[in-house]
Amino acid sequence: MTDSITKIQNCRLIRDGQIVHDDVLFIQSGKIVDAQSHFYRMGSKPSKIIDAQGLIIAPGYIDVQINGAFGVDFSNWVGEEKMRENIDIVAKELLRFGCTSFAPTIVSSSPEIYHKVLPLLKPRKGNKNNGSEILGAHVEGPFICQDKSGAHPKELLVDAPKGFADIARVYGITETENPSIRIITVAPELEGIQNLFKKFIELGMTVSIGHSCALVEQAERAVESGARFITHLFNAMQQFHHRDPGIIGLLSTTHLSRPYYGLICDGIHVHPNSVKLAYSAHPSGVVLVTDAVGAMGLPPGEYKIGTAKIRKIDDYRVEVIDNGRLAGSVVSISECVRNFKKFTGCSIVEAVEAATKHPAELLGIENRKGTLSYGADADLIFLDDDLNVIRCFISGEEVDIGST
Amino acid sequence: MRLIIRKDYDEVSEHMASYIRDRILEFNPTEERPFVLGLPTGSSPVGVYKNLVKYYRNNQLSFRNVVTFNMDEYVGLPRDHPESYHSFMWNHFFKHIDILPQNVHLLDGNAEDLDMECVRYEESIKKAGGIELFLGGIGPDGHIAFNEPGSSLTSRTRVKTLAYDTILANSRFFGNDINKVPRMALTVGVGTVMEAREVAIIITGAHKALALAKCIEEGVNHMWTVSAIQLHQKALIACDEDATLELHVKTVKYFMNIEKVQKELVGMQNVGLQGNIKRYATPDVSPTRKEFYGVPFKK
């Protein structure tokens, strides 16, 4: 019952940290397969040949922090049916930008929202029908610092004085069951929260620190307790000070394994020079995130996201109409990758890995996602030399992304 | 024997690849009557494979009805090991073209009974109707496949222990660790290669100049196993200028002259692919006869 094999030829592959020229890639049953072994052992041959016309083939992008897009806001409850519909819209449309896996992110909300939304954000396989793969939810808050709330509503931020009982109550999970949460962003200085990291990890969550006033010592303790990620580095945290570099100081810690760190690479949330600074300090830890809001993917104009009225000015900037503040990012992940290459002067491979290999490693799914290794999901993007996404495959099937 | 001399490795590769292409096209293989091609590994044929892949991509050539037999494979090296000859053939050639898996033959260096594997291999060559064209390269010591100096010139497919020099030379492919280099290989014999209806050898580089001289200017000798080619009726050697360094000027001139005569006096349209003269051209036909003799031709 061997499924048919598709051969993609005349391509450049991003594999093992380099571009392999004039290579071929074989996919079967939605996976990348070791065609050599198939050829010699089973005598199987491809039934379909795709000419990539010299384009670069990379694994699909992974976005571990995205609040919404295409008019949809994951934190805004609009009824179950509409909510499901919305999630599908985003999952499908994200493929246009080469994003084949994402962690829908919920900003600090009331317990009722979590109880209703989280069950809809369980991991879901990506394919032509579902669209981009849902990796599980990223809950950003509400266990974060009042002084670094960013755009999160302060009145919803909470502590966890009763330990895990508070966590369970807010998110609607139990000591043994966590069907949806993949990443949890907390402020490590909240009392008692670090003692829960072990429990979070047991429940399959990746612990991230952010929206926090933590000093470097607290941040390092958080890493010792199991934190592996920094939520949007530079944004919503203690700024770099040479006598106490705070969370940012984790990038150059010497005695701990350094955490991965998210960077909103729209050129606005983090200055290009700061992007390069972070990257120079810890190149293998960078994870590009969009932190996009509902206006991403929509034409410029006025929109309502949650309760706030916003204006999207161009492809980079949205502001709250009332006060002119930044209202989140509207950048796409493919734009982030292009920006990142421009800002840091890194190679194509390094730029792509910041949105593929690194986020996959962060979530411990590097054998399945973010790689073109044998056995990985055949989530592929075809890129030109300017890193524009020309074609997109998910689980081995091509989707029409109407590229220009 | 024909000796074709070209400027460098690239020109030699292109010449040999286009020759193989034309031979296959002229043969016009079908499923029932495939073209049986013997193939080598190593640095010599890489350029030929590159060109053949190019022809396939340009739709000049299909390998659908081509059957291949490879010369050799290490013993005990996993088939998927990056240095196995299975991997070499896959990466340089097979994965790029439309050859059918069942038409590809390589020796199994992990067979339980290695002797039986060799016998089986010879049989499958026979069953395929013998090899139409065996492409090969040579080592600096004049070896073909793993038939190192001293191998019988009538040898058949068998297990061979590698010479120390070869193991040393190959260690560069195994992390410079001589202990990781396989010590044995399965290889077709000199006799197996010479039994092919045509043998085509690529020899390039100054480091192979001595081997070329030994193989074609001196006697047939098991210390330079490719010298057995002297006894073959349809043999072709393509070499670059560097490889001619140890040849006599006379030898080089002789073979260059043959090409010149064919081109300028006989006319290439009258010469078969394998160097045979299809018909004798009258001097009138040749426009460049004046140039060739330096004097006008008189009727």
Side-chain angles (χ1 to χ4, degrees):
Chain A
M1 53 147 277
T2 46
D3 266 12
S4 65
I5 297 180
T6 301
K7 173 184 184 181
I8 305 175
Q9 62 184 26
N10 191 13
C11 55
R12 290 173 283 164
L13 297 184
I14 295 191
R15 207 173 233 174
D16 301 331
Q18 54 183 348
I19 294 186
V20 186
H21 287 265
D22 193 16
D23 211 333
V24 293
L25 189 74
F26 290 78
I27 53 186
Q28 182 184 35
S29 310
K31 302 268 182 198
I32 294 164
V33 294
D34 175 3
Q36 177 184 342
S37 143
H38 270 255
F39 182 84
Y40 288 126
R41 284 204 179 85
M42 275 123 78
S44 37
K45 56 175 191 290
S47 54
K48 189 176 168 200
I49 294 177
I50 294 170
D51 185 351
Q53 298 180 318
L55 292 172
I56 298 167
I57 298 187
Y61 294 138
I62 301 168
D63 190 354
V64 297
Q65 190 170 8
I66 171 166
N67 309 294
F70 313 101
V72 173
D73 180 356
F74 298 127
S75 311
N76 185 24
W77 182 254
V78 287
E80 186 173 334
E81 200 178 324
K82 182 73 185 151
M83 208 67 200
R84 281 183 197 280
E85 222 172 87
N86 281 349
I87 292 164
D88 285 350
I89 290 174
V90 176
K92 276 196 182 137
E93 293 290 322
L94 278 182
L95 297 175
R96 257 167 51 196
F97 303 107
C99 177
T100 54
S101 308
F102 69 112
T105 304
I106 307 190
V107 295
S108 297
S109 303
S110 61
E112 304 84 77
I113 294 287
Y114 291 114
H115 297 175
K116 287 191 278 193
V117 178
L118 282 178
L120 305 181
L121 299 179
K122 288 178 194 163
R124 184 177 78 178
K125 185 96 191 72
N127 58 39
K128 209 171 170 174
N129 288 328
N130 292 344
S132 188
E133 175 148 338
I134 298 175
L135 297 166
H138 178 171
V139 287
E140 189 186 2
F143 300 96
I144 56 175
C145 173
Q146 286 281 349
D147 295 336
K148 297 290 175 190
S149 60
H152 296 224
K154 279 193 198 301
E155 65 276 15
L156 292 175
L157 306 189
V158 288
D159 287 0
K162 292 191 201 134
F164 193 80
D166 284 323
I167 305 289
R169 180 183 54 80
V170 168
Y171 296 130
I173 58 173
T174 71
E175 293 250 7
T176 51
E177 260 183 272
N178 163 40
S180 299
I181 302 174
R182 194 60 191 262
I183 304 171
I184 181 167
T185 293
V186 297
E189 69 274 22
L190 295 193
E191 206 176 322
I193 198 102
Q194 279 193 40
N195 302 330
L196 303 175
F197 284 10
K198 216 175 131 213
K199 187 76 210 164
F200 294 157
I201 295 164
E202 259 176 48
L203 285 169
M205 303 179 201
T206 295
V207 179
S208 182
I209 53 177
H211 286 280
S212 155
C213 303
L215 301 176
V216 69
E217 219 173 288
Q218 290 167 314
E220 290 193 334
R221 267 208 308 277
V223 171
E224 282 169 333
S225 306
R228 299 192 63 220
F229 193 45
I230 301 170
T231 297
H232 46 51
L233 188 78
F234 297 120
N235 297 107
M237 61 184 58
Q238 196 70 38
Q239 287 312 290
F240 184 86
H241 189 287
H242 56 285
R243 278 195 282 273
D244 190 317
I247 290 178
I248 299 167
L250 289 175
L251 266 58
S252 49
T253 182
T254 47
H255 62 289
L256 296 171
S257 110
R258 296 186 284 178
Y260 291 90
Y261 56 97
L263 274 182
I264 307 173
C265 219
D266 62 353
I268 290 170
H269 281 75
V270 184
H271 190 277
N273 295 10
S274 305
V275 169
K276 186 165 183 182
L277 191 72
Y279 181 63
S280 308
H282 184 16
S284 60
V286 62
V287 173
L288 302 183
V289 297
T290 59
D291 201 14
V293 296
M296 197 279 268
L298 297 178
E302 290 185 7
Y303 299 100
K304 209 172 149 198
I305 296 288
T307 51
K309 281 189 199 149
I310 60 159
R311 181 184 298 119
K312 180 170 178 180
I313 299 158
D314 52 27
D315 278 346
Y316 299 98
R317 201 176 275 269
V318 270
E319 54 180 41
V320 179
I321 291 175
D322 292 343
N323 57 18
R325 276 197 204 159
L326 281 181
S329 124
V330 284
V331 73
S332 70
I333 191 79
S334 66
E335 185 72 26
C336 282
V337 174
R338 288 190 291 270
N339 286 340
F340 183 69
K341 181 167 178 290
K342 198 161 62 195
F343 298 165
T344 62
C346 70
S347 70
I348 286 178
V349 174
E350 288 165 326
V352 167
E353 284 187 344
T356 55
K357 180 170 178 259
H358 298 171
E361 286 169 351
L362 165 70
L363 297 178
I365 52 173
E366 66 272 20
N367 294 327
R368 195 163 69 78
K369 299 282 183 196
T371 172
L372 298 181
S373 304
Y374 304 139
D377 291 343
D379 297 346
L380 314 172
I381 50 178
F382 290 25
L383 302 169
D384 65 16
D385 283 273
D386 298 324
L387 298 180
N388 296 306
V389 180
I390 310 293
R391 294 170 82 171
C392 179
F393 286 68
I394 184 143
S395 284
E397 285 190 281
E398 179 156 24
V399 282
D400 181 11
I401 57 170
S403 68
T404 46
Chain B
M1 187 201 75
R2 288 189 291 159
L3 180 70
I4 304 283
I5 302 165
R6 291 288 178 270
K7 199 173 114 242
D8 52 20
Y9 178 83
D10 288 345
E11 286 191 13
V12 171
S13 301
E14 206 181 327
H15 177 84
M16 189 59 97
S18 66
Y19 179 69
I20 293 169
R21 174 196 61 198
D22 295 346
R23 283 279 280 118
I24 294 173
L25 292 176
E26 190 181 72
F27 191 90
N28 194 18
T30 60
E31 210 181 320
E32 296 74 35
R33 186 174 161 277
F35 189 93
V36 185
L37 184 61
L39 295 174
T41 48
S43 54
S44 301
V46 169
V48 176
Y49 292 144
K50 231 180 213 143
N51 279 291
L52 287 173
V53 168
K54 194 176 77 192
Y55 302 145
Y56 162 71
R57 291 218 179 118
N58 297 345
N59 295 320
Q60 294 177 22
L61 185 59
S62 165
F63 295 89
R64 199 145 273 267
N65 294 317
V66 173
V67 169
T68 64
F69 284 91
N70 264 85
M71 286 186 159
D72 40 18
E73 177 60 286
Y74 290 114
V75 167
L77 196 64
R79 185 153 48 179
D80 296 336
H81 189 284
E83 292 304 331
S84 80
Y85 289 168
H86 278 80
S87 295
F88 179 97
M89 289 310 296
W90 172 252
N91 286 315
H92 287 95
F93 198 35
F94 295 152
K95 76 174 175 187
H96 297 291
I97 59 174
D98 62 344
I99 196 157
L100 299 177
Q102 65 266 27
N103 286 349
V104 163
H105 301 85
L106 283 102
L107 283 152
D108 180 2
N110 294 297
E112 223 160 87
D113 186 337
L114 293 172
D115 288 333
M116 262 313 291
E117 170 64 12
C118 295
V119 171
R120 192 195 56 77
Y121 202 65
E122 288 275 348
E123 274 168 7
S124 51
I125 292 177
K126 231 177 249 150
K127 228 162 95 192
I131 290 169
E132 180 65 25
L133 188 158
F134 219 129
L135 176 69
I138 67 165
D141 58 4
H143 74 252
I144 183 157
F146 272 120
N147 297 289
E148 308 206 85
S151 294
S152 158
L153 299 185
T154 57
S155 53
R156 314 298 309 185
T157 304
R158 67 211 185 287
V159 187
K160 271 295 268 183
T161 307
L162 306 190
Y164 182 69
D165 271 2
T166 308
I167 294 173
L168 205 57
N170 286 356
S171 65
R172 68 184 193 273
F173 301 121
F174 293 86
N176 289 318
D177 183 351
I178 196 161
N179 296 312
K180 286 191 188 139
V181 186
R183 303 301 162 95
M184 292 198 296
L186 300 186
T187 178
V188 294
V190 181
T192 319
V193 176
M194 293 306 155
E195 218 170 71
R197 288 187 281 282
E198 181 172 12
V199 179
I201 307 287
I202 313 159
I203 305 177
T204 57
H207 61 304
K208 290 183 178 168
L210 186 65
L212 176 58
K214 290 281 183 185
C215 288
I216 68 171
E217 286 186 338
E218 295 189 11
V220 174
N221 185 330
H222 69 170
M223 294 312 286
W224 302 89
T225 49
V226 177
S227 63
I229 203 170
Q230 295 176 28
L231 298 172
H232 200 283
Q233 289 192 335
K234 285 223 163 66
L236 165 72
I237 294 179
C239 69
D240 65 355
E241 285 174 6
D242 283 352
T244 66
L245 290 177
E246 296 283 348
L247 291 179
H248 290 117
V249 173
K250 183 173 89 173
T251 312
V252 174
K253 287 240 161 173
Y254 170 71
F255 284 108
M256 283 172 72
N257 248 348
I258 292 182
E259 252 196 277
K260 198 169 175 188
V261 169
Q262 287 188 342
K263 210 181 273 167
E264 298 180 354
L265 198 65
V266 182
M268 287 320 280
Q269 72 276 17
N270 299 316
V271 180
L273 263 182
Q274 291 171 290
N276 48 309
I277 307 295
K278 290 197 283 200
R279 56 188 164 270
Y280 184 69
T282 56
D284 289 314
V285 177
S286 173
T288 52
R289 65 186 193 280
K290 241 195 246 175
E291 250 173 70
F292 188 74
Y293 287 107
V295 290
F297 185 85
K298 278 183 202 150
K299 266 195 182 168

